């Protein structure tokens, strides 16, 4: 493989050094669209000194020497990195740098994450309020062992951790109209924004998800082939009439939970430094920031979480999951009936877990515990970073152009109130930006600025342990890829050139690439 790196990399040291200084010195009105919304009210970062910015630029510069690992490469979450376990608990450890008091907070949050919610009314008042429509009875039942979900199958359909989002074309809300390319959508009048496949007694579930596949072969260099499967999704047994005309469906697989607090602590300016909406450097990569409405802070913020970066914070993402997935009301989303629509009258009038002494089915102190838990699920240490096959695969990863979107490393904000995430060198392998992934992966359903062909770059840390944690787990947003190679071969759009390079590699180089990914 050639040892040269893509031209895009040569700018990054300068970009990362200047981004924070430019943002601090320039009035917000003078910045481009995305940069106007890089305020981070969920954080209280301390300013970086010029010396720190220089150090950060040096340590986050892309690799050029593949003869040995980079410093600290075996610690993908910095001081928060946990040991790499060899069992299915590898994603369920707390960040290694928590204090004793924080460990107790984490364990309390873990209990709430695993809590099995029950229907109202119930004698267990602290646990009632499930549904009436829902996809799972606990957070853990979607994020299996805090890792990825799996595609529904028989006979254990009830343990599935995948659903269909739904929306129709709609107007842009007034508070978002200043974003010229924001794509307006509306809930389906019968089904809302998410289809739930389970329900309380006496209430019809919304549907049953059916998944089918068409397999086809892809030719690779060296006489090798790979078999991919093209999925087909059906919303069967609709319980509330037909979907609205123009309804857009998008399959969503529960993603792993590790490292979320560290992703939240990456400076917005450093994320935006990788955006190139108009592909000014003509490298075919044009990452875009998603801009979304923060219900916590009543303002537009940078989207970071979710498969299309549709949520700005871990707390908002968690509250949305309680409402949509389990039907549990929170202070941020206080509807006791969860995602029930106005037309679902039986659902709206069903008993719920709120009351005079319990305004929402989970209160803010408990939501804070769940959020703390979600922020502090530890990222496992890398394995065999100095192995010749891993190092060779790392060079293949760079030379193929994978690192143009799967940006390896950042330094988090210095945070006085979150020492466990403060000023850590982390290696998530994502730019957290939106990219056109081609027609093959398109769901044709927009979300905020994200078009129907765009997805957020998935973080790769921990990906090599995915199937150790959950043997039935598969890859990509809908689980269609049964292996890492299949996942790579589904890349299109902006990643078409990188995918083609991988397909054309000598078989030994392609195998080294997979070995590198398995070490993450």
């Amino acid at each position: 493989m050639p040892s040269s790196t893509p031209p895009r990399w040569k700018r990054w040291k300068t970009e990362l050094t200047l981004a924070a200084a430019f943002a601090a010195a320039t009035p917000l009105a003078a910045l481009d669209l995305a940069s106007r919304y890089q305020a981070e009210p969920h954080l209280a970062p301390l300013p970086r000194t010029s010396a720190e910015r220089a150090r950060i630029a040096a340590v986050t510069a892309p690799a050029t020497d593949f003869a040995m690992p980079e410093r600290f490469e075996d610690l993908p979450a910095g001081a928060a990195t946990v040991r790499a376990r060899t069992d299915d608990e590898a994603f369920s450890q707390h960040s290694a740098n928590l204090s004793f008091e924080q460990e107790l907070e984490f364990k309390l949050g873990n209990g709430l994450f695993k809590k099995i919610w029950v229907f109202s009314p119930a004698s267990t008042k602290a646990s009632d309020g499930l549904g009436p429509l829902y996809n799972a009875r606990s957070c853990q039942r979607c994020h299996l062992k805090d890792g990825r979900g799996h595609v529904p199958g028989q006979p254990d359909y009830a343990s599935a951790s995948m659903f269909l989002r739904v929306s129709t074309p709609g107007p842009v809300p007034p508070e978002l109209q200043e974003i010229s390319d924001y794509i307006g959508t509306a809930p389906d009048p019968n089904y809302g924004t998410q289809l739930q496949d389970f329900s309380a007694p006496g209430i019809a579930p919304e549907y049953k998800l059916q998944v089918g596949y068409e397999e086809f072969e892809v030719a690779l260099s060296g006489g090798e082939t790979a078999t991919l499967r093209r999925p087909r999704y059906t919303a069967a047994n609709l319980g509330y009439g037909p979907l609205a005309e123009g309804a857009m469906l998008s399959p969503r697989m529960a993603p792993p939970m590790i490292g979320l607090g560290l992703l939240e602590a990456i400076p917005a300016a450093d994320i935006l430094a990788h955006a190139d909406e108009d592909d000014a450097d003509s490298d075919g990569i044009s990452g875009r920031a998603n801009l979304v409405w923060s219900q916590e802070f009543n303002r537009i913020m940078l989207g970071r979480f979710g498969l299309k970066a549709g949520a700005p914070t871990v707390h908002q993402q968690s509250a949305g999951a309680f409402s949509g997935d389990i039907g549990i009301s929170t202070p941020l989303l206080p509807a006791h009936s969860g995602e029930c629509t106005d037309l679902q009258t039986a659902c709206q009038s069903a008993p719920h877990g709120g009351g005079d002494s319990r305004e929402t089915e989970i209160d803010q102190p408990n939501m804070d515990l769940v959020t703390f838990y979600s922020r502090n699920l530890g990222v496992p240490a890398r394995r065999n970073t100095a192995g010749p096959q891993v190092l060779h695969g790392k060079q293949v990863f760079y030379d193929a152009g994978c690192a143009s979107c799967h940006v390896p490393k950042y330094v988090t904000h210095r945070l006085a109130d979150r020492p466990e995430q403060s000023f850590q060198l982390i290696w998530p392998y994502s730019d957290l930006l939106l990219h056109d992934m081609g027609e093959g992966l398109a769901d044709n359903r927009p979300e905020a600025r994200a078009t129907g062909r765009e997805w957020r770059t998935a973080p790769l840390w921990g990906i090599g342990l995915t199937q150790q944690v959950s043997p039935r787990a598969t890859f990509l947003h809908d689980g269609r890829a049964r292996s890492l190679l299949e996942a790579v071969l589904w890349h299109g759009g902006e990643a078409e050139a990188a995918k083609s390079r991988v397909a054309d590699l000598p078989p030994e180089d392609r195998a080294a690439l997979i070995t590198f990914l398995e070490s993450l």
Side-chain angles (χ1 to χ4, degrees):
M1 295 295 297
S3 60
S4 60
T5 53
R8 178 185 178 88
W9 293 107
K10 298 178 181 178
R11 305 192 332 262
W12 281 8
K13 181 174 180 178
T14 301
E15 286 181 340
L16 288 173
T17 303
L18 294 179
F22 178 66
T26 308
L28 289 179
L31 299 177
D32 62 24
L33 174 67
S35 295
R36 290 209 304 272
Y37 305 108
Q38 62 181 307
E40 298 164 304
H42 60 301
L43 302 172
L46 301 173
R48 290 175 173 176
T49 67
S50 57
E52 284 176 340
R53 290 197 294 270
R55 285 170 53 206
I56 291 166
V59 77
T60 56
T64 56
D65 179 2
F66 301 97
M68 63 184 66
E70 297 170 78
R71 289 187 69 196
F72 313 116
E73 191 173 0
D74 56 339
L75 300 174
T81 305
V82 299
R83 68 183 179 91
R85 296 177 57 134
T86 57
D87 59 14
D88 63 1
E89 298 293 326
F91 290 168
S92 297
Q93 304 172 80
H94 61 73
S95 298
N97 56 351
L98 295 189
S99 67
F100 177 76
E101 292 77 13
Q102 287 176 317
E103 287 183 34
L104 294 178
E105 194 173 349
F106 179 88
K107 290 174 182 177
L108 290 170
N110 186 20
L112 291 163
F113 196 81
K114 291 180 175 179
K115 176 193 283 226
I116 302 297
W117 294 86
V118 298
F119 301 119
S120 297
S123 59
T124 53
K125 291 298 183 184
S127 298
D128 72 346
L130 175 66
L133 298 172
Y134 64 99
N135 296 107
R137 293 181 63 190
S138 75
C139 307
Q140 187 77 222
R141 289 200 173 181
C142 282
H143 302 278
L144 303 172
K145 292 288 187 177
D146 304 295
R148 288 183 61 81
H150 60 71
V151 176
Q154 299 295 341
D156 61 340
Y157 182 84
S159 66
S161 40
M162 181 179 183
F163 59 79
L164 295 176
R165 289 213 187 278
V166 59
S167 56
T168 64
V172 176
E175 66 270 20
L176 291 160
Q177 288 179 359
E178 61 189 277
I179 302 174
S180 61
D181 57 355
Y182 194 95
I183 305 169
T185 58
D188 183 284
N190 285 330
Y191 294 96
T193 61
Q194 178 172 325
L195 294 176
Q196 286 90 15
D197 43 0
F198 299 105
S199 60
I203 296 176
E206 290 188 323
Y207 83 128
K208 183 171 183 178
L209 174 60
Q210 294 180 348
V211 186
Y213 295 99
E214 173 194 355
E215 294 195 347
F216 61 99
E217 283 197 347
V218 174
L220 306 174
S221 63
E224 296 184 345
T225 60
T227 301
L228 305 187
R229 54 181 191 171
R230 183 178 291 109
R232 181 184 66 259
Y233 305 100
T234 303
N237 303 340
L238 288 169
Y240 297 88
L243 292 165
E245 184 177 355
M248 302 169 283
L249 297 174
S250 177
R252 299 298 174 91
M253 175 75 71
M257 297 289 295
I258 58 173
L260 298 185
L262 292 165
L263 297 179
E264 191 172 51
I266 298 172
D270 290 359
I271 296 171
L272 296 175
H274 297 288
D276 185 14
E277 295 203 18
D278 299 319
D279 192 17
D281 58 5
S282 302
D283 66 351
I285 306 298
S286 52
R288 303 191 316 127
N290 206 355
L291 299 172
V292 299
W293 186 253
S294 168
Q295 292 160 300
E296 292 174 83
F297 301 104
N298 201 37
R299 64 187 301 166
I300 298 169
M301 288 178 60
L302 174 69
R304 300 176 189 236
F305 301 104
L307 294 167
K308 286 181 181 269
T313 64
V314 174
H315 179 241
Q316 182 166 320
Q317 179 79 353
S318 300
F322 267 113
S323 177
D325 301 352
I326 312 178
I328 296 297
S329 56
T330 68
L332 194 63
L333 298 171
H336 297 308
S337 55
E339 244 257 314
C340 298
T341 68
D342 291 340
L343 298 179
Q344 294 170 332
T345 54
C347 182
Q348 289 284 355
S349 60
H352 58 74
D356 293 338
S357 61
R358 189 177 170 212
E359 292 185 5
T360 56
E361 291 157 335
I362 185 170
D363 61 16
Q364 193 57 53
N366 281 328
M367 270 305 302
D368 291 342
L369 288 171
V370 173
T371 301
F372 184 84
Y373 174 79
S374 300
R375 284 186 183 134
N376 284 289
L377 281 158
V379 180
R382 290 276 307 278
R383 285 82 56 211
N384 196 28
T385 54
Q389 183 86 338
V390 171
L391 289 169
H392 179 50
K394 178 181 175 182
Q395 181 169 7
V396 173
F397 182 86
Y398 273 69
D399 289 343
C402 305
S404 293
C405 300
H406 290 285
V407 174
K409 47 191 168 172
Y410 299 86
V411 172
T412 61
H413 273 305
R414 194 182 290 281
L415 300 168
D417 60 340
R418 294 192 199 174
E420 66 276 11
Q421 279 113 38
S422 178
F423 214 59
Q424 300 296 323
L425 172 63
I426 64 172
W427 306 67
Y429 284 89
S430 172
D431 60 8
L432 301 180
L433 297 173
L434 301 171
H435 294 274
D436 182 338
M437 295 301 293
E439 192 58 36
L441 288 179
D443 67 347
N444 299 310
R445 177 184 175 274
E447 186 172 339
R449 294 183 82 207
T451 70
R453 290 168 56 105
E454 288 182 314
W455 299 94
R456 183 200 68 162
T457 304
L460 298 182
W461 51 11
I463 198 167
L465 298 175
T466 297
Q467 291 173 330
Q468 173 186 302
V469 170
S470 179
R472 285 186 57 187
T474 47
F475 302 96
L476 298 177
H477 68 278
D478 57 1
R480 70 178 68 186
R482 294 159 292 187
S483 68
L484 294 177
L485 179 59
E486 285 187 39
V488 171
L489 295 175
W490 270 107
H491 283 49
E494 295 175 44
E496 180 69 32
K499 185 268 298 287
S500 296
R501 292 186 194 109
V502 172
D504 293 340
L505 287 170
E508 58 271 20
D509 288 350
R510 195 160 48 241
L513 172 64
I514 300 303
T515 300
F516 166 70
L517 293 175
E518 290 172 344
S519 79
L520 295 178

